[in-house]
Amino acid sequence: MDEYMSAPRVWGLMCPGSREEVTRARRWTRDILNNHPCADDAELIVSELGSNALTHTASGTAYGTFQLTLSLSPHTVAISVTDEGGHPEEVSPTEADADDTHGRGLTIVMALARRLDITGSQYGRTVTAQLVAPETGATTC
């Protein structure tokens, strides 16, 4: 049976469109990545991307959802959040003023991730952040 298994391990979680689900998604991520050197960064990225989906798309409506996918290979963690769309503008990082309480999410994700990909349209987007595990001996991503 091993010949049919791929090297990356993939998990998926469908979350209803409520703020409490971001907490659940963080906990789920932490449980899967238990003792992985990228666990803390992955948890923060899940929080930022999940919050963005709820705040800026139809995922945050009464019957909305967002989907979280984690892909883990020996040296890479890929985190994808897919929203339900409803926002016609392209997703892009913004430069927040010092006093702003919002507007830093994608900038934080870009600082943590080795790579950030955004695909889709106003009908639904997937934001994928890739973390690369440090070489042996290092403790964080």
Side-chain angles (χ1 to χ4, degrees):
M1 186 60 129
D2 288 338
E3 69 268 15
Y4 297 109
M5 300 196 50
S6 61
R9 298 179 65 194
V10 179
W11 293 265
L13 179 68
M14 182 68 74
C15 298
S18 67
R19 295 283 166 203
E20 295 81 22
E21 291 300 309
V22 174
T23 302
R24 183 171 74 103
R26 285 179 65 130
R27 187 173 44 250
W28 180 80
T29 300
R30 187 175 50 243
D31 289 346
I32 290 171
L33 298 178
N34 187 26
N35 295 322
H36 190 282
C38 295
D40 290 340
D41 290 349
E43 189 178 345
L44 179 55
I45 289 171
V46 164
S47 181
E48 292 297 334
L49 296 182
S51 294
N52 282 354
L54 295 176
T55 302
H56 301 294
T57 74
S59 293
T61 61
Y63 297 102
T65 63
F66 67 93
Q67 182 169 342
L68 170 61
T69 305
L70 292 178
S71 176
L72 180 62
S73 64
H75 300 289
T76 305
V77 176
I79 303 140
S80 297
V81 171
T82 301
D83 64 47
E84 291 192 349
H87 197 277
E89 281 110 44
E90 291 288 321
V91 176
S92 62
T94 59
E95 202 164 310
D97 290 333
D99 296 335
D100 289 346
T101 58
H102 297 284
R104 294 178 181 82
L106 277 182
T107 303
I108 291 169
V109 172
M110 289 172 55
L112 296 173
R114 170 74 56 92
R115 179 181 174 140
L116 183 71
D117 291 315
I118 302 170
T119 58
S121 67
Q122 68 184 17
Y123 303 107
R125 288 191 177 84
T126 299
V127 180
T128 302
Q130 183 183 50
L131 297 169
V132 177
E135 298 298 322
T136 307
T139 58
T140 60
C141 283

